[in-house]
Amino acid sequence: MGLHLKKRTYGVNKITHPGNSMKLSFIARAFCALSLCIATVATAAPRLFAVNPFANTGATAGDFGLYEINPTNAAVISSTLIAVPSRTITGANSITLDPTTGVVYGIVRATGVTGRLLITLNLATGAGVEIGNLGDNFSSLTFRSDGQLFGVTGNGASVPETLYTINKATGVPTLAVALGNGADGEVIAFNPVDSQIYHWSGNSSVFYERFPSTSPYTPITSITTGALPGGEVFGAVWDPTQNLFLVSNINSELRTLSTTGVQSAALGTMPNDLRGMVLIDSQTITGFAPSSPVTVGAPAATLTATGGGSGNPIVFATTSPPSVCTVSGATVTFVGIGTCNLTANQAAGGIYTAAPEVTASITINPIASVIIGFSPPASATAGGTVILSATGAPSGAQIVFATTSAPSVCTVSGTTVSLVGIGTCNLTADQAAAG
């Protein structure tokens, strides 16, 4: 922290001597530094990911395990191999996003493994971490809003067409309810608007139904039964920006589907019959611009900012020592002189990833003050002395008196001015800042 000097300026005073005169001028000064630093962030468009149940070799464009797909036209944005340590992954049946953490979970098939493996998956790299063996041929996953994971078994499972809750830490499934219906394909997707799980089953005749996402998971309500334009549904994810499902099908098409069974024309064709899916969107924090500077001991301030679509609260904090400032909730308290560095964060939620952290800083300056009472006598006799006095700032720092005049006119020692010769004695009073 630089030194802040407090001085005060007075008009010219005249000191007289029979036949001669001296003038004394008095100066006071003040300096201060201000700063405000705010970070900015960029926004991004929603992103759609899907997985390949048939291959994970990268031999052709349709043989990668993980794809990012343009959600408006199904064009491939990127393709990546899925890699799990100590496993040879031959395909993936489903991926889903934990709305409470932003972590992606998936079902994969591995060489030499009976049943299917539950993994977490890094969408940027394709790197997977094995959690456990689900113990049967699970075909689809979805999360409830509170982070409860569900899975459904396919027709080739030992216990087919059955819904389970899954421990996302261990991969252990627990029976929820038998579903039944179609002869091929089982897909589930959670709708956070009505808190229902939607279920697709079958190929030439597709059963489209829904049921509550809490025990006992009944009643099971039929939406449509019959031939959907795209045939068997391979993957589905709720798109809150449209209030519709995005679905992939056995014809490698991407479509939208309403909760009442209205399906769009194909938005585009993908390189394979991809499953999944995961839709993610970014969120940003804006408007984080606290006022700066303030003075030490100023009233506590309320921090404000606008968050993204997850609706999660913005969490404020400080990285500065408590001797400078403290933060409790949305209130920042100014304790001492220095820079109060602040952060604002918003957690992941729904399809939204965690917002990038934004920062701001507030400069806390010393309490503003002036020197008063610096008024030597209006006249004095050359050869004499004058005792200086003044009242300073609340800091308690010593007031230092000095002169800018030549020593042939006057000198200052402590609070004493010695009037040496005829002329103008220019005097100053200074007080350093203190916290």
Side-chain angles (χ1 to χ4, degrees):
M1 193 73 185
L3 183 65
H4 294 258
L5 301 180
K6 305 289 185 182
K7 296 193 175 184
R8 189 162 180 173
T9 303
Y10 289 84
V12 174
N13 292 303
K14 185 179 290 184
I15 300 176
T16 61
H17 179 73
N20 304 301
S21 67
M22 295 185 67
K23 293 180 180 179
L24 284 76
S25 63
F26 313 103
I27 303 171
R29 300 178 289 247
F31 305 91
C32 144
L34 315 178
S35 70
L36 174 62
C37 222
I38 300 172
T40 58
V41 292
T43 59
R47 303 170 68 187
L48 178 65
F49 295 85
V51 289
N52 188 345
F54 305 111
N56 185 47
T57 62
T60 67
D63 291 334
F64 288 88
L66 173 65
Y67 292 83
E68 181 176 356
I69 302 295
N70 186 316
T72 63
N73 60 17
V76 174
I77 296 173
S78 66
S79 51
T80 310
L81 295 177
I82 297 174
V84 177
S86 303
R87 299 293 191 186
T88 300
I89 304 302
T90 58
N93 282 48
S94 181
I95 51 174
T96 188
L97 178 74
D98 185 341
T100 64
T101 64
V103 176
V104 173
Y105 290 74
I107 300 171
V108 294
R109 302 196 319 271
T111 301
V113 174
T114 301
R116 305 281 162 80
L117 299 178
L118 180 69
I119 67 169
T120 58
L121 183 64
N122 185 320
L123 297 179
T125 64
V129 176
E130 183 176 337
I131 296 174
N133 194 322
L134 291 166
D136 207 344
N137 292 342
F138 278 76
S139 62
S140 183
L141 298 171
T142 195
F143 270 102
R144 196 168 60 197
S145 292
D146 63 356
Q148 174 61 58
L149 179 61
F150 292 88
V152 65
T153 50
N155 285 80
S158 300
V159 184
E161 300 176 333
T162 300
L163 182 76
Y164 292 83
T165 60
I166 298 174
N167 185 319
K168 62 187 178 184
T170 64
V172 175
T174 300
L175 176 65
V177 66
L179 296 177
N181 279 328
D184 196 10
E186 302 293 327
V187 172
I188 53 174
F190 178 73
N191 178 356
V193 175
D194 59 16
S195 295
Q196 301 266 305
I197 294 176
Y198 287 70
H199 174 226
W200 294 263
S201 180
N203 186 353
S204 57
S205 182
V206 178
F207 291 83
Y208 180 27
E209 57 192 15
R210 61 181 171 84
F211 51 86
S213 60
T214 55
S215 181
Y217 310 105
T218 54
I220 297 175
T221 303
S222 176
I223 299 171
T224 61
T225 301
L228 285 175
E232 180 184 343
V233 173
F234 261 41
V237 63
W238 180 253
D239 182 356
T241 66
Q242 302 185 77
N243 283 324
L244 297 167
F245 286 104
L246 285 170
V247 297
S248 59
N249 62 36
I250 197 169
N251 294 315
S252 303
E253 297 170 338
L254 181 68
R255 296 174 180 253
T256 64
L257 179 63
S258 75
T259 57
T260 59
V262 178
Q263 189 170 201
S264 73
L267 304 176
T269 302
M270 298 176 289
N272 211 325
D273 298 345
L274 301 183
R275 297 185 71 99
M277 299 177 289
V278 162
L279 186 71
I280 63 172
D281 201 351
S282 63
Q283 59 180 347
T284 59
I285 297 170
T286 59
F288 187 35
S291 298
S292 177
V294 298
T295 56
V296 64
T302 299
L303 300 174
T304 60
T306 301
S310 71
N312 285 328
I314 296 174
V315 178
F316 300 104
T318 178
T319 58
S320 296
S323 59
V324 174
C325 63
T326 60
V327 173
S328 177
T331 301
V332 56
T333 301
F334 309 111
V335 180
I337 298 169
T339 301
C340 181
N341 296 309
L342 300 166
T343 61
N345 286 275
Q346 186 180 29
I351 69 168
Y352 296 91
T353 58
E357 182 178 89
V358 296
T359 63
S361 65
I362 301 174
T363 296
I364 307 174
N365 287 325
I367 298 173
S369 58
V370 294
I371 296 171
I372 61 175
F374 185 32
S375 53
S379 63
T381 302
T385 59
V386 173
I387 302 301
L388 302 174
S389 64
T391 300
S395 69
Q398 182 182 5
I399 297 176
V400 177
F401 301 104
T403 180
T404 58
S405 297
S408 59
V409 175
C410 63
T411 60
V412 175
S413 176
T415 60
T416 301
V417 180
S418 297
L419 306 173
V420 180
I422 298 170
T424 300
C425 183
N426 298 307
L427 299 169
T428 61
D430 290 84
Q431 184 182 37

